[in-house]
Amino acid sequence: QPIVDIELGDVVGFEALMRWTRDDGSIISPAEFIPIAEETGTIVPIGAWALLEALTHLRGWINEGICSREATMSVNVSPRQLHDPNFVPVVHEALLRSHIAPDQLWLEVTEGVMIAQPEQALEALTKLCALGVRVAIDDFGTGFSSMNYLKKFKVHTLKIDQSFIRDITNSPSDQAIVIAIINMANSLDMMTIAEGVETKEQWDFLKAQGCTQFQGYYFSRPLTPKDCELFFEKHD
């Protein structure tokens, strides 16, 4: 799914999303298969494959001139991956094989990942940041209330969960929460990405509040890699 600069309207990056379509065309929800993969440990090889696959597509799009040479790729990281001792080498190898600069890779982690086993998470994220990889907190505000991890971990971006965006034009409480997140991020020199933006009214509000980037149906639904190429050919 494209990620768009909220001020300029330019596509500045993408988020890789896992989807499973069976041969008969039926779709298995990530909410169903990701927890099972996490529990069984299968998420580790799946995650390694997804990381390299996403970065390889990004390299191809850059080479073909479909997107900016500075475009980023965001990939979600599960607790099992982050606590795997081989995860940092896997990330490093994927960057080398895809010829993508480390600062063009954004790893998205949830608040729960950082709090469940903070020492292991801190060690892995510290090594990844030393490589130049960026870290984003996904679904910010929906998990744990402790802000302590923002002080401990080197975080570059807060992603505002779509549950706060959905009713943002009608709900004063949602507006207050979003404004608080944006102001806090600005004060900590972090970027903000609003998820699930579907209307111009939502986009107008976020732009007025100084949100940095957004993604959602207002610009584009999630696309297959091939459809993504066709989308950019059509919209230039």
Side-chain angles (χ1 to χ4, degrees):
Q1 186 173 37
I3 298 175
V4 185
D5 183 286
I6 209 162
E7 186 70 31
L8 302 176
D10 295 334
V11 173
V12 292
F14 307 88
E15 179 183 359
L17 300 169
M18 187 74 72
R19 297 292 184 266
W20 182 356
T21 305
R22 286 174 163 162
D23 292 339
D24 61 5
S26 62
I27 296 176
I28 303 175
S29 168
E32 181 178 351
F33 71 80
I34 291 295
I36 297 173
E38 178 79 12
E39 181 181 351
T40 60
T42 314
I43 193 65
V44 173
I46 290 176
W49 169 83
L51 178 65
L52 179 59
E53 186 80 359
L55 292 178
T56 300
H57 281 301
L58 179 61
R59 169 46 59 195
W61 296 336
I62 290 173
N63 290 347
E64 295 169 19
I66 291 175
C67 64
S68 164
R69 301 194 67 82
E70 291 75 37
T72 61
M73 181 62 74
S74 298
V75 180
N76 292 276
V77 177
S78 76
R80 194 72 170 254
Q81 288 175 274
L82 196 61
H83 300 139
D84 178 61
N86 293 320
F87 182 61
V88 175
V90 164
V91 172
H92 190 215
E93 181 181 359
L95 290 167
L96 291 175
R97 291 178 61 182
S98 61
H99 303 287
I100 292 294
D103 63 356
Q104 290 178 261
L105 171 61
W106 293 75
L107 295 180
E108 297 191 10
V109 298
T110 63
E111 297 170 90
V113 170
M114 295 185 164
I115 292 180
Q117 293 177 288
E119 297 308 318
Q120 291 184 27
L122 179 60
E123 181 181 357
L125 291 174
T126 299
K127 291 178 180 178
L128 290 165
C129 287
L131 292 177
V133 173
R134 305 296 185 90
V135 176
I137 305 297
D138 195 19
D139 303 334
F140 185 78
T142 62
F144 295 81
S145 59
S146 173
M147 298 291 106
N148 191 44
Y149 62 85
L150 290 181
K151 180 175 66 175
K152 290 184 177 181
F153 295 89
K154 187 174 180 59
V155 176
H156 302 89
T157 298
L158 300 181
K159 299 197 71 175
I160 306 172
D161 187 69
Q162 60 182 339
S163 63
F164 301 122
I165 304 299
R166 189 174 299 115
D167 298 319
I168 199 171
T169 55
N170 302 313
S171 170
S173 59
D174 283 344
Q175 291 178 3
I177 291 171
V178 170
I179 291 172
I181 293 173
I182 293 172
N183 289 340
M184 181 178 66
N186 288 339
S187 67
L188 294 172
D189 197 27
M190 298 179 187
M191 295 170 52
T192 47
I193 301 177
E195 299 180 291
V197 178
E198 298 184 352
T199 67
K200 184 178 186 301
E201 290 73 23
Q202 294 169 343
W203 177 82
D204 284 337
F205 178 87
L206 291 163
K207 182 179 179 181
Q209 300 306 320
C211 184
T212 316
Q213 299 173 359
F214 80 96
Q215 61 190 99
Y217 287 12
Y218 180 58
F219 184 83
S220 173
R221 295 171 176 266
L223 303 165
T224 65
K226 182 60 179 177
D227 286 341
C228 197
E229 295 174 15
L230 295 174
F231 179 88
F232 276 85
E233 290 176 4
K234 180 178 179 181
H235 294 277
D236 194 17

